[in-house]
């Protein structure tokens, strides 16, 4: 069965540090990939998505993610985090041929001011 | 405009009772998903509605779970004979088109606790 792995459960960084959150999935077919963010007390919202084309995807708030097909990875990056980036981040994968959208367990990011 | 709303926000029920959870999607959104998030877990897909098509129920964990979407709008998730392992946050999301063509908008969730 397909699965999504987020290896870091909790990441703590200081402001201005660089961020990379790992996401790996197990599915052999064509997929669409997503990163969602949940700020404290708010709903899940879309950060960015990979649909097709350029594997380097830019999203809101300076985030980007790179799809590496050979590694089944879609890591999220930001060169310089801010205190306001403190949130929980979820990676999600949707196979092209069905509706089953799979989410990772999430990574909690704490940015210290 | 209004986002996705869910009710109730919290529900505590006794084991064995039935519960109904409601989702009001954004007006005009044809696609609707239900997910479950257990403590420390990612979101688990439960069911997907797209327009007037038959729903994709492949994620429902048992026959105690069912969902319907009346008139292509409001959706109700029903859990019969609740068990303690059903305790979780149940999230609803809607989108204008089938993902990934359009962004999913999530509701605030219903926290279900089965005692």
């Amino acid at each position: 069965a397909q699965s999504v792995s987020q290896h870091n459960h909790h990441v703590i960084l200081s402001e201005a540090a660089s961020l990379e959150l790992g996401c790996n999935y197990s599915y052999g077919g064509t997929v669409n990939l997503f990163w969602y963010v949940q700020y404290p007390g708010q709903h899940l919202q879309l950060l960015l998505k990979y649909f097709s084309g350029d594997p380097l995807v830019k999203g809101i708030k300076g985030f980007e993610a790179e799809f590496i097909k050979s590694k089944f990875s879609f890591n999220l990056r930001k060169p310089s985090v801010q205190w306001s980036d403190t949130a929980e981040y979820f990676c999600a994968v949707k196979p092209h041929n069905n509706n089953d959208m799979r989410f990772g367990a999430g990574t909690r990011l704490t940015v210290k001011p | 405009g209004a986002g996705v709303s869910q009710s109730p926000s919290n529900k505590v029920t006794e084991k064995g009772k039935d519960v109904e959870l409601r989702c009001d999607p954004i007006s005009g959104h044809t696609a609707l998903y239900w997910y479950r998030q257990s403590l420390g877990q990612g979101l688990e897909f439960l069911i997907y509605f797209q327009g007037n098509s038959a729903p994709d129920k492949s994620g429902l964990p048992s026959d105690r779970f069912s969902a319907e979407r009346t008139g292509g709008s409001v959706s109700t998730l029903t859990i019969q004979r609740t068990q303690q392992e059903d305790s979780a946050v149940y999230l609803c999301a809607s989108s204008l088109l089938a993902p990934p063509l359009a962004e999913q908008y999530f509701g605030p969730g219903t926290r279900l606790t089965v005692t």
Side-chain angles (χ1 to χ4, degrees):
Chain A
Q2 66 188 64
S3 67
V4 181
S5 298
Q6 291 182 244
H7 310 294
N8 312 105
H9 296 293
H10 189 192
V11 173
I12 302 173
L13 296 172
S14 297
E15 274 195 315
S18 64
L19 170 72
E20 181 159 2
L21 301 182
C23 174
N24 287 87
Y25 64 93
S26 61
Y27 184 74
T30 303
V31 294
N32 300 119
L33 299 152
F34 308 80
W35 275 98
Y36 282 84
V37 61
Q38 187 167 26
Y39 297 103
Q42 296 188 26
H43 307 175
L44 274 164
Q45 57 185 279
L46 184 68
L47 257 186
L48 48 80
K49 67 182 180 187
Y50 172 77
F51 188 60
S52 63
D54 189 345
L56 184 61
V57 179
K58 295 195 184 297
I60 60 171
K61 304 187 181 186
F63 285 90
E64 66 178 32
E66 185 175 11
F67 171 45
I68 303 180
K69 190 173 181 181
S70 61
K71 294 185 178 180
F72 297 88
S73 70
F74 190 55
N75 292 356
L76 181 71
R77 301 194 293 248
K78 185 170 183 178
S80 175
V81 294
Q82 301 172 309
W83 175 79
S84 58
D85 294 324
T86 294
E88 188 143 18
Y89 293 80
F90 295 90
C91 179
V93 176
K94 181 189 171 302
H96 219 239
N97 61 357
N98 70 48
N99 301 310
D100 190 348
M101 189 126 158
R102 294 285 177 125
F103 283 75
T107 297
R108 186 155 61 99
L109 172 65
T110 301
V111 180
K112 296 190 287 188
Chain B
V4 178
S5 61
Q6 292 185 245
S7 59
S9 55
N10 277 286
K11 176 73 177 176
V12 180
T13 190
E14 292 179 354
K15 178 181 170 180
K17 302 279 191 186
D18 297 353
V19 294
E20 278 191 359
L21 312 180
R22 177 185 167 108
C23 172
D24 282 87
I26 294 172
S27 178
H29 280 196
T30 62
L32 187 149
Y33 276 88
W34 280 99
Y35 297 92
R36 174 170 73 174
Q37 186 177 23
S38 303
L39 192 63
Q41 306 288 318
L43 278 70
E44 175 188 2
F45 162 74
L46 295 177
I47 188 169
Y48 170 68
F49 295 90
Q50 174 58 52
N52 295 321
S53 303
D56 180 347
K57 304 179 183 180
S58 59
L60 294 178
S62 78
D63 59 8
R64 296 187 295 105
F65 287 72
S66 63
E68 60 178 28
R69 188 178 184 193
T70 52
S73 181
V74 171
S75 178
T76 303
L77 177 70
T78 301
I79 309 173
Q80 295 178 308
R81 305 181 302 282
T82 51
Q83 303 294 313
Q84 287 187 326
E85 60 263 28
D86 299 333
S87 296
V89 176
Y90 290 82
L91 289 165
C92 173
S94 72
S95 62
L96 188 59
L97 300 170
L101 297 174
E103 178 178 347
Q104 288 188 58
Y105 291 84
F106 282 82
T110 293
R111 183 176 297 277
L112 175 67
T113 303
V114 181
T115 61

